Amino acid sequence: MEKELEHYFDRLWPICRSISGNGVRESLSILSEIVPLNIHEVPSGTRVLDWTVPKEWNIREAYIITPDGQRIADLQVNNLHIVSYSIPVNASFEWDELAPHLHTLPSMPDAIPYITSYYKEQWGFCLTHKEWESLPREGTYQVVIDSSLEDGHITYGEAIIPGTTHEEIIFSTYICHPSMANNELSGPLTQAFLFKQLAQFKNPKYTYRFIVIPETIGAIICLSNYGNHWKEHLKAGFVITCVGDDSPFQYKRSRRGNALVDRISEHVLHHLAPNALIRDFAPNGSDERQYCSPGFNLPVGSLMRTPYYQHPYYHTSLDNKEFISFKALAETVIMYAKLAEAIELNDYYVNTQPYGEPQLGKRNLYPETISAEFKRDYLDTLLYLINFSDGEHSLLDIAIKRDKPIFDFAEPLRKCMECGLLVRKQ
Amino acid sequence: MEKELEHYFDRLWPICRSISGNGVRESLSILSEIVPLNIHEVPSGTRVLDWTVPKEWNIREAYIITPDGQRIADLQVNNLHIVSYSIPVNASFEWDELAPHLHTLPSMPDAIPYITSYYKEQWGFCLTHKEWESLPREGTYQVVIDSSLEDGHITYGEAIIPGTTHEEIIFSTYICHPSMANNELSGPLTQAFLFKQLAQFKNPKYTYRFIVIPETIGAIICLSNYGNHWKEHLKAGFVITCVGDDSPFQYKRSRRGNALVDRISEHVLHHLAPNALIRDFAPNGSDERQYCSPGFNLPVGSLMRTPYYQHPYYHTSLDNKEFISFKALAETVIMYAKLAEAIELNDYYVNTQPYGEPQLGKRNLYPETISAEFKRDYLDTLLYLINFSDGEHSLLDIAIKRDKPIFDFAEPLRKCMECGLLVRKQ
Amino acid sequence: MEKELEHYFDRLWPICRSISGNGVRESLSILSEIVPLNIHEVPSGTRVLDWTVPKEWNIREAYIITPDGQRIADLQVNNLHIVSYSIPVNASFEWDELAPHLHTLPSMPDAIPYITSYYKEQWGFCLTHKEWESLPREGTYQVVIDSSLEDGHITYGEAIIPGTTHEEIIFSTYICHPSMANNELSGPLTQAFLFKQLAQFKNPKYTYRFIVIPETIGAIICLSNYGNHWKEHLKAGFVITCVGDDSPFQYKRSRRGNALVDRISEHVLHHLAPNALIRDFAPNGSDERQYCSPGFNLPVGSLMRTPYYQHPYYHTSLDNKEFISFKALAETVIMYAKLAEAIELNDYYVNTQPYGEPQLGKRNLYPETISAEFKRDYLDTLLYLINFSDGEHSLLDIAIKRDKPIFDFAEPLRKCMECGLLVRKQ
């Protein structure tokens, strides 16, 4: 999987994306080779919840010619150089006029910052502080921004794996940042390869929905469409972001704090990634802000590696290919698949012989041979399953009580259901 | 404030107080210079709850003449020398007759203990163990106690700051101990200067009641008057005692344990006095025993410094001016004022745009300028406020979630209310 | 008590017990000298819950003659040599035929393991691994098992101490293992001597039931008889097992986890045996598996020393007299008696003067003499009792709040009830 991930990473990296425009369309087209995305276009001006879909932005060229004739801050060199949604400009400026439009990070002099201005029409360039310091303060600068900001569309993609019920599990990721690795491409890549994993489930109970959207406005659009459906039918959801570096996993809880998505994520990580961190919900970060807004309050968490504000290269040109690991990215895909597997496995089961311990021998559930060195482990898992399947403890609850991974219960569960000792709770 | 506190301390110190009598009246008269007290007189014999108002006690002179003619245990030298409520005596005694009436503290040989006998008629003297050891065991002692114990009154004072509602916050302190500093005068002094602070509140939501009473019987009297009113309308209450030394704050919870008064006190101390201790309720100590009796179970806690039983000089002549600090006393006044301010600020607010995050930019709530070194702190406070203002989380709950002082929310709260994004929950 | 315990231990030790048969009858007869047991006989074939009462097994002789004429694995030498419930055999075998019927513990070469096969008809011998290694692999072995496995009965014993109510406390122990000390005889011996202790209670509130049964099937039989009664009337129950070694106490919680039996056991151990361990319920171990099956879910815990699976000699011949301590056993008896005493003492009491603190002096509840070195301890216990006796806090709750043993409250409780300040909650 690692080689494939890298291949797609390299193709997606150079594209200049924003919350709208052809860069998004091109990126979704590439991802469609892995996951069968339906592409949706939402017109500018559409009212969605408290928001209005903004104009579409496209850019062809942007650069500055210095007084001594050098071409700097060139979009073709690094697409972070342009402030996203910059309006068209073709004019000359003295240094003092130009200066308010130049953005740098004095604390990280080698990094180009990433800046946007979606809802206030202006323009600007980002460059390294080192380069900024070397620029002459006298003479005339020529600024070229060949962009368009016009009525158009917001574009997003969506794929479905149908389940045997309408209860849904969603995986949401965003595609609106230009060339950044952990805080962007790690998300859509994980989501796409996760689709391939989950497509192998046989008769999944849940319907899986994969959403690739521009951050914020995309989530607002989806909530405008599906919000009421999800309030009834969303079993669990995840925002996939910042999953590419090789730091330990961090799970950010949903606003509810103890929803199934939270409890199952903590359980699976406890056993499969014991050094993972668990963090409470905070109404900042990424699209969990939308899914967990108080009117919806959906059970949506986020499994990350090093989250947005914690990684030093956040929103800079240093969040690049060197910062991430394709091995870590592949492990993230597998961990997300285990979370889905655990949610599929979990349910409430009922012991049909709840008075005293059922006689295991006559049902061929007891270890067959007698032996002086009896192994208790399998039998104990079975006994926990039978004793606590009272309709009030989910399989997850039982696994937590036993402090063993929920996956260990799959085999005894199957046997007990075959002989009728356990039935699914109605 | 410190100089003023010391001035009033020095005037109140020498007065011989008990649970009744002219010493109380004189003390209340001095406090009235700071806080506009209404003075109440309750006649002896009045039935109040399970109690009967006792006789009034006044004392003019008390001393012992030793066989060798020395005047000892003289009320004029230290008013702890007389057991409070001692009946009149004018007679001669041999040592063996006198001895049961003399009280000392062998473990603290330089301290005069403080002893009372309000509800059993007897008499006695307290002296240092060192002096007691030096007394001759032979010869005749002359005892003079020029006291009166007769039908009269219990006296207490009360002041009100009216609020816009009848919901009340009470501050209760006691004035019945003779010359002791931490375990008495620190209480009425804090209360009086706190009145001056809170009188500056503009349109306070709550009505503030300040009560200066003799301990136990005074609280019983007030509960007899206001108990039923408070069961309906008491938002929070505090017993002010032992607040004058410079040890860290200790907050003693109300009997309920998680009432608003408890949660707000713990929150404010956590941020403003991180070395403060939090203690569970215990049905001993001071007048919280009465307010938190099971029939009333009022939300009354107590913010102290070194509490009664914990300070070594408790109920002795060593609890004097040297033991306390007027700087600490002034800080106590301010901390109590911050508690009231936090209770005023707290409420349930409701986000009128709960579906998705409201667009902050169009309401001028988003930081105006774009910048590479964006400061998240103010924005996060705002986002917590908006996200959790769902009518189920109080402002206190939100501040606790964010782990920032509730006071930080005052400014964004004001802005959100001005633009109608938040409204007070009805 | 220790000498008596040892005397009965020595008499019970050599008897070959199983879940049925004359060994059980003989053992119950000996125990009847201490506790007045009613003996019950349940016929083979009786249907009990999910189970059927098995045939009765008796054995007279069992041994193997080696090719060189030695008599080994002789029942008369150690009754662990025979697999319990082995069918009759009298035949010759080559080594390869015999080998599957021989059981050893390679990891403990000096120990004879303990093995049973109650519900699958087969035969076998257990021997030390050391002896097994020395046996010749050639030549003919003669096997003699003079047993009978026929319709008969399961036998168990029961004793009652009647209380003033039908609310019950049960002590359940098992008698079905042959010569093992901690994991068998410690249980019935503790139970029998506990009976002697509790028989001294004057007018106990609860009815005490003592059950001596074969493990598993015996508990199933009792639940078949009393299960519905207990669902209504069982106040607390204990499985007594593994209580003879001198390790710290371990209390295993009931399945409910916070039933009275759990809270009172934890409280008493916290004060009387502070190094005790508290463990959550697990659906393995002994007869708590039956009592705490989900259909019954009875409040039954287990106070042990070193439990079954934790002690290295579990189910081997090394679990013998040397492994246990009669001093520890006697202390276990006393600790169980304290648990019963605490449950008897606990109740909900109501303060008849809940408004303000009742005046203690007029009820002679206040310490009579005034003194400078007043001891607060007794008074505080009294104040906690009065303040929290609101009908919502049990005496146990109050003792936990005060962090003092519940036994400390017996005396102030008696005084408060005598003067009518406290009454039992109806």
Side-chain angles (χ1 to χ4, degrees):
Chain A
M1 195 190 309
E2 295 173 37
K3 283 286 162 206
E4 269 195 292
L5 283 164
E6 185 169 0
H7 163 78
Y8 281 101
F9 179 90
D10 290 340
R11 287 173 60 195
L12 290 163
W13 175 261
I15 301 168
C16 182
R17 285 172 290 272
S18 182
I19 58 169
S20 66
N22 293 324
V24 176
R25 292 190 185 90
E26 188 183 346
S27 301
L28 291 174
S29 167
I30 291 171
L31 289 168
S32 291
E33 300 173 19
I34 317 166
V35 43
L37 293 172
N38 290 312
I39 307 300
H40 300 271
E41 300 275 354
V42 184
S44 302
T46 307
R47 302 292 301 264
V48 280
L49 305 177
D50 189 50
W51 299 63
T52 304
V53 173
K55 291 176 182 167
E56 178 173 331
W57 182 69
N58 281 289
I59 188 155
R60 286 157 294 276
E61 256 194 336
Y63 56 84
I64 299 170
I65 305 292
T66 64
D68 46 3
Q70 280 192 289
R71 186 176 177 125
I72 61 161
D74 189 347
L75 179 72
Q76 291 190 350
V77 175
N78 189 316
N79 53 37
L80 296 186
H81 276 311
I82 189 73
V83 168
S84 196
Y85 264 64
S86 282
I87 56 176
V89 176
N90 193 335
S92 301
F93 298 92
E94 297 305 297
W95 173 258
D96 288 351
E97 297 167 312
L98 179 63
H101 296 276
L102 300 184
H103 305 286
T104 71
L105 272 173
S107 61
M108 294 175 66
D110 292 314
I112 308 168
Y114 165 56
I115 295 183
T116 69
S117 181
Y118 304 135
Y119 295 96
K120 184 171 178 184
E121 296 198 357
Q122 51 187 329
W123 61 271
F125 286 86
C126 301
L127 53 170
T128 68
H129 197 66
K130 198 175 277 178
E131 182 165 37
W132 179 87
E133 286 183 313
S134 73
L135 295 178
R137 266 50 177 168
E138 312 245 315
T140 301
Y141 284 82
Q142 183 69 23
V143 170
V144 174
I145 303 178
D146 178 11
S147 68
S148 61
L149 185 56
E150 300 162 346
D151 279 351
H153 296 84
I154 287 277
T155 312
Y156 70 93
E158 192 181 26
I160 299 279
I161 298 173
T164 57
T165 71
H166 290 295
E167 301 300 297
E168 270 190 40
I169 295 174
I170 62 169
F171 297 96
S172 175
T173 195
Y174 52 88
I175 189 127
C176 54
H177 292 53
S179 307
M180 280 174 290
N182 200 35
N183 184 11
E184 168 106 355
L185 286 179
S186 73
L189 288 170
T190 294
Q191 195 209 48
F193 283 80
L194 176 62
F195 180 92
K196 289 177 70 169
Q197 295 284 321
L198 302 198
Q200 295 166 30
F201 279 0
K202 296 202 177 75
N203 299 317
K205 192 159 51 178
Y206 300 109
T207 293
Y208 292 85
R209 190 184 297 266
F210 297 75
I211 305 170
V212 206
I213 50 180
E215 211 177 7
T216 305
I217 187 67
I220 296 283
I221 289 167
C222 288
L223 282 166
S224 173
N225 291 337
Y226 302 126
N228 287 328
H229 173 70
W230 285 337
K231 280 174 87 165
E232 289 285 308
H233 295 291
L234 190 70
K235 192 76 180 179
F238 297 90
V239 171
I240 308 181
T241 177
C242 299
V243 288
D245 64 300
D246 61 3
S247 299
F249 286 108
Q250 291 195 26
Y251 175 73
K252 178 178 173 178
R253 290 189 179 117
S254 78
R255 185 178 183 274
R256 298 185 188 178
N258 66 345
L260 175 65
V261 68
D262 303 314
R263 298 183 66 236
I264 216 129
S265 298
E266 292 174 41
H267 171 72
V268 170
L269 290 169
H270 171 62
H271 289 286
L272 304 192
N275 63 348
L277 299 176
I278 308 295
R279 315 168 60 209
D280 268 337
F281 176 73
N284 54 20
S286 182
D287 284 332
E288 63 274 22
R289 288 154 63 169
Q290 312 308 327
Y291 299 121
C292 300
S293 56
F296 294 113
N297 196 20
L298 299 173
V300 174
S302 184
L303 177 66
M304 299 175 275
R305 299 282 191 163
T306 302
Y308 12 82
Y309 314 136
Q310 280 177 30
H311 76 77
Y313 301 157
Y314 171 69
H315 276 193
T316 75
S317 57
L318 300 182
D319 179 2
N320 58 28
K321 189 174 175 179
E322 280 167 47
F323 181 52
I324 65 168
S325 146
F326 292 98
K327 180 162 174 293
L329 203 50
E331 287 167 1
T332 303
V333 173
I334 298 305
M335 188 60 79
Y336 263 108
K338 293 305 278 184
L339 293 179
E341 186 186 331
I343 297 173
E344 283 285 331
L345 192 57
N346 185 50
D347 209 333
Y348 286 83
Y349 300 94
V350 179
N351 172 353
T352 59
Q353 296 291 337
Y355 297 100
E357 202 173 270
Q359 200 184 349
L360 300 177
K362 70 184 186 189
R363 293 179 177 85
N364 293 318
L365 292 171
Y366 206 78
E368 283 235 356
T369 54
I370 58 175
S371 151
E373 300 204 320
F374 184 62
K375 294 285 176 289
R376 288 215 59 82
D377 197 60
Y378 181 86
L379 182 59
D380 277 353
T381 298
L382 180 66
L383 291 175
Y384 269 82
L385 179 62
I386 293 169
N387 185 292
F388 286 106
S389 286
D390 55 3
E392 292 176 18
H393 294 83
S394 68
L395 193 63
L396 173 62
D397 295 332
I398 300 171
I400 288 171
K401 272 193 180 287
R402 171 113 172 87
D403 199 18
K404 296 278 182 185
I406 192 172
F407 312 108
D408 286 10
F409 289 80
E411 175 69 4
L413 174 63
R414 190 184 54 72
K415 288 188 180 167
C416 287
M417 291 189 77
E418 279 172 10
C419 71
L421 190 54
L422 292 183
V423 295
R424 206 177 285 265
K425 188 185 180 186
Q426 296 307 320
Chain B
M1 196 190 309
E2 294 173 38
K3 284 286 159 204
E4 270 195 291
L5 283 163
E6 185 169 359
H7 163 78
Y8 282 101
F9 178 90
D10 290 339
R11 287 173 62 194
L12 289 162
W13 175 261
I15 301 168
C16 183
R17 286 172 290 271
S18 183
I19 58 170
S20 66
N22 294 323
V24 175
R25 291 188 187 93
E26 187 182 349
S27 302
L28 291 174
S29 168
I30 292 170
L31 290 167
S32 292
E33 300 173 17
I34 317 164
V35 43
L37 293 172
N38 290 311
I39 308 298
H40 300 271
E41 300 275 355
V42 185
S44 302
T46 307
R47 302 292 300 266
V48 279
L49 304 177
D50 190 50
W51 299 63
T52 304
V53 173
K55 292 177 182 164
E56 179 173 330
W57 183 69
N58 281 289
I59 189 154
R60 285 158 295 276
E61 257 196 334
Y63 54 84
I64 300 170
I65 306 291
T66 64
D68 45 6
Q70 282 191 290
R71 186 175 177 125
I72 62 161
D74 189 347
L75 178 72
Q76 292 190 349
V77 174
N78 188 317
N79 53 39
L80 296 185
H81 276 311
I82 189 74
V83 168
S84 196
Y85 264 64
S86 282
I87 56 177
V89 176
N90 192 334
S92 302
F93 298 91
E94 297 305 299
W95 173 259
D96 288 349
E97 296 167 313
L98 179 63
H101 296 276
L102 300 184
H103 306 287
T104 72
L105 272 174
S107 61
M108 294 175 66
D110 290 315
I112 309 167
Y114 165 55
I115 294 182
T116 70
S117 181
Y118 305 135
Y119 296 95
K120 185 169 178 186
E121 296 198 358
Q122 51 187 329
W123 62 272
F125 285 86
C126 301
L127 53 170
T128 68
H129 197 65
K130 198 176 275 178
E131 181 165 38
W132 178 86
E133 286 183 313
S134 74
L135 294 178
R137 267 49 177 167
E138 312 245 313
T140 301
Y141 284 82
Q142 183 70 20
V143 171
V144 173
I145 304 178
D146 178 10
S147 67
S148 62
L149 185 56
E150 298 163 345
D151 279 351
H153 296 84
I154 287 276
T155 311
Y156 71 94
E158 192 181 26
I160 299 278
I161 297 174
T164 57
T165 71
H166 290 296
E167 301 301 296
E168 269 190 41
I169 295 174
I170 62 170
F171 297 96
S172 175
T173 194
Y174 52 89
I175 188 128
C176 54
H177 292 54
S179 307
M180 280 175 290
N182 201 34
N183 183 12
E184 168 107 353
L185 286 179
S186 74
L189 288 171
T190 293
Q191 196 209 47
F193 282 80
L194 176 62
F195 180 93
K196 289 177 70 170
Q197 294 285 320
L198 303 197
Q200 296 165 28
F201 279 2
K202 296 202 176 76
N203 299 316
K205 193 159 53 179
Y206 300 109
T207 293
Y208 293 85
R209 191 185 295 267
F210 298 75
I211 304 169
V212 206
I213 49 180
E215 211 177 6
T216 305
I217 187 66
I220 296 283
I221 289 167
C222 288
L223 282 166
S224 174
N225 290 338
Y226 301 126
N228 288 328
H229 173 70
W230 285 337
K231 282 174 87 165
E232 288 285 307
H233 295 292
L234 191 70
K235 191 76 178 180
F238 297 91
V239 170
I240 307 180
T241 178
C242 299
V243 287
D245 63 301
D246 62 3
S247 300
F249 286 107
Q250 291 196 24
Y251 176 73
K252 178 178 173 179
R253 291 188 178 117
S254 79
R255 185 179 185 271
R256 298 184 188 178
N258 67 345
L260 175 66
V261 68
D262 303 314
R263 298 182 66 236
I264 216 130
S265 299
E266 292 174 39
H267 171 73
V268 169
L269 290 169
H270 170 62
H271 290 287
L272 304 191
N275 62 347
L277 300 175
I278 307 296
R279 315 169 59 207
D280 268 336
F281 175 74
N284 54 20
S286 181
D287 284 331
E288 64 273 21
R289 287 154 65 167
Q290 311 308 327
Y291 299 121
C292 300
S293 56
F296 294 113
N297 196 23
L298 299 173
V300 174
S302 184
L303 177 66
M304 298 175 274
R305 299 279 191 165
T306 302
Y308 11 83
Y309 315 136
Q310 280 177 29
H311 76 78
Y313 301 157
Y314 172 69
H315 275 193
T316 75
S317 56
L318 300 182
D319 180 1
N320 57 28
K321 190 174 175 179
E322 281 168 46
F323 180 53
I324 64 167
S325 146
F326 292 99
K327 181 164 174 292
L329 202 50
E331 287 166 0
T332 303
V333 172
I334 298 305
M335 188 61 79
Y336 264 107
K338 293 304 278 185
L339 294 179
E341 185 186 331
I343 298 172
E344 284 285 331
L345 192 57
N346 185 51
D347 208 332
Y348 287 82
Y349 300 95
V350 180
N351 172 353
T352 59
Q353 295 292 338
Y355 298 100
E357 203 172 271
Q359 201 185 348
L360 300 177
K362 70 183 185 189
R363 292 180 179 83
N364 292 317
L365 292 170
Y366 207 79
E368 283 232 356
T369 54
I370 58 175
S371 150
E373 300 204 320
F374 184 62
K375 294 286 176 289
R376 288 215 59 82
D377 198 58
Y378 182 85
L379 182 59
D380 276 353
T381 297
L382 180 66
L383 291 176
Y384 269 82
L385 178 62
I386 293 169
N387 185 290
F388 286 107
S389 285
D390 55 3
E392 293 176 17
H393 295 84
S394 67
L395 193 64
L396 173 62
D397 295 331
I398 300 172
I400 289 170
K401 272 193 181 286
R402 171 111 172 89
D403 200 18
K404 296 278 181 184
I406 192 171
F407 312 109
D408 285 11
F409 289 80
E411 175 69 4
L413 174 63
R414 189 183 54 72
K415 288 187 181 169
C416 288
M417 292 189 78
E418 278 173 10
C419 71
L421 190 54
L422 292 183
V423 295
R424 206 176 285 267
K425 188 184 181 187
Q426 295 308 318
Chain C
M1 196 191 306
E2 295 174 37
K3 283 286 161 205
E4 271 195 290
L5 282 163
E6 184 169 1
H7 164 78
Y8 281 102
F9 178 90
D10 289 340
R11 285 173 62 193
L12 289 163
W13 175 262
I15 300 168
C16 182
R17 286 172 290 271
S18 183
I19 57 169
S20 66
N22 294 324
V24 176
R25 291 189 186 92
E26 188 182 347
S27 301
L28 291 174
S29 167
I30 291 170
L31 289 168
S32 292
E33 298 172 20
I34 317 165
V35 43
L37 293 171
N38 289 311
I39 307 299
H40 301 271
E41 299 274 355
V42 184
S44 302
T46 307
R47 303 291 299 265
V48 279
L49 304 178
D50 189 51
W51 298 63
T52 304
V53 173
K55 292 177 182 167
E56 178 173 329
W57 182 67
N58 281 290
I59 188 153
R60 285 157 293 276
E61 256 194 337
Y63 56 83
I64 299 170
I65 306 292
T66 64
D68 47 3
Q70 280 191 289
R71 185 175 178 127
I72 62 161
D74 189 347
L75 179 72
Q76 291 189 348
V77 175
N78 188 317
N79 53 38
L80 296 186
H81 276 311
I82 189 74
V83 168
S84 195
Y85 264 66
S86 281
I87 56 176
V89 176
N90 193 335
S92 301
F93 298 92
E94 296 306 298
W95 173 258
D96 288 350
E97 298 168 312
L98 179 62
H101 296 275
L102 300 184
H103 305 288
T104 72
L105 271 174
S107 61
M108 293 175 66
D110 291 315
I112 308 167
Y114 165 55
I115 294 182
T116 70
S117 181
Y118 305 136
Y119 296 96
K120 184 169 179 185
E121 296 199 358
Q122 51 188 329
W123 62 271
F125 285 86
C126 300
L127 53 171
T128 69
H129 197 65
K130 197 176 274 178
E131 182 165 36
W132 178 86
E133 286 182 313
S134 74
L135 294 178
R137 266 49 178 169
E138 311 244 315
T140 301
Y141 284 82
Q142 183 68 23
V143 170
V144 173
I145 303 178
D146 178 10
S147 69
S148 61
L149 185 58
E150 299 164 345
D151 279 350
H153 296 83
I154 287 278
T155 312
Y156 70 94
E158 192 181 26
I160 299 278
I161 298 174
T164 56
T165 71
H166 290 295
E167 301 300 297
E168 269 192 39
I169 295 175
I170 62 170
F171 297 97
S172 174
T173 195
Y174 51 88
I175 188 128
C176 53
H177 292 54
S179 307
M180 280 174 291
N182 201 35
N183 184 11
E184 168 106 351
L185 287 179
S186 75
L189 287 170
T190 293
Q191 196 208 46
F193 283 80
L194 176 63
F195 180 93
K196 290 178 71 170
Q197 295 284 322
L198 302 197
Q200 295 165 30
F201 279 0
K202 296 205 175 73
N203 300 315
K205 192 159 53 178
Y206 300 109
T207 292
Y208 292 84
R209 190 185 296 268
F210 297 75
I211 305 169
V212 206
I213 50 181
E215 211 178 6
T216 305
I217 187 67
I220 296 282
I221 289 166
C222 288
L223 282 166
S224 173
N225 290 338
Y226 302 124
N228 288 329
H229 173 70
W230 285 336
K231 281 175 87 166
E232 289 283 309
H233 296 291
L234 191 69
K235 191 77 179 179
F238 297 90
V239 171
I240 307 180
T241 177
C242 299
V243 287
D245 64 300
D246 61 3
S247 300
F249 286 106
Q250 291 195 24
Y251 175 73
K252 178 178 172 178
R253 291 189 178 114
S254 79
R255 184 177 184 273
R256 298 185 187 178
N258 66 345
L260 175 67
V261 68
D262 303 314
R263 298 182 66 235
I264 215 129
S265 298
E266 291 174 42
H267 171 73
V268 169
L269 290 169
H270 170 63
H271 289 286
L272 304 191
N275 61 348
L277 299 175
I278 308 295
R279 316 169 60 208
D280 267 337
F281 175 74
N284 55 21
S286 182
D287 284 332
E288 63 273 22
R289 288 155 64 168
Q290 311 308 327
Y291 299 120
C292 299
S293 56
F296 294 113
N297 196 23
L298 298 173
V300 173
S302 183
L303 177 67
M304 299 176 274
R305 298 281 192 164
T306 302
Y308 11 82
Y309 315 135
Q310 280 177 31
H311 77 76
Y313 300 158
Y314 171 69
H315 275 193
T316 75
S317 57
L318 300 183
D319 179 2
N320 58 27
K321 190 174 175 178
E322 282 167 46
F323 180 53
I324 64 167
S325 145
F326 291 99
K327 181 163 174 293
L329 203 50
E331 287 167 359
T332 303
V333 172
I334 298 306
M335 188 60 79
Y336 264 108
K338 293 304 279 184
L339 293 180
E341 186 185 332
I343 297 172
E344 284 285 330
L345 191 57
N346 185 50
D347 209 332
Y348 286 83
Y349 301 93
V350 179
N351 172 353
T352 59
Q353 295 292 337
Y355 297 101
E357 202 172 272
Q359 200 185 349
L360 301 177
K362 71 183 186 190
R363 292 179 178 85
N364 292 319
L365 292 171
Y366 206 78
E368 283 233 357
T369 53
I370 59 174
S371 149
E373 299 204 320
F374 184 61
K375 294 285 177 289
R376 288 215 59 83
D377 197 58
Y378 182 85
L379 181 59
D380 276 353
T381 298
L382 179 66
L383 291 176
Y384 269 83
L385 179 61
I386 293 170
N387 184 291
F388 286 107
S389 285
D390 54 4
E392 293 177 18
H393 294 85
S394 68
L395 194 64
L396 173 62
D397 295 330
I398 300 171
I400 289 170
K401 271 193 181 286
R402 171 112 171 89
D403 199 18
K404 296 279 180 182
I406 193 171
F407 311 110
D408 286 11
F409 289 79
E411 175 69 3
L413 174 63
R414 188 184 56 71
K415 287 188 180 168
C416 287
M417 293 189 77
E418 278 173 9
C419 71
L421 189 54
L422 292 183
V423 295
R424 206 176 285 265
K425 188 185 179 186
Q426 294 307 319

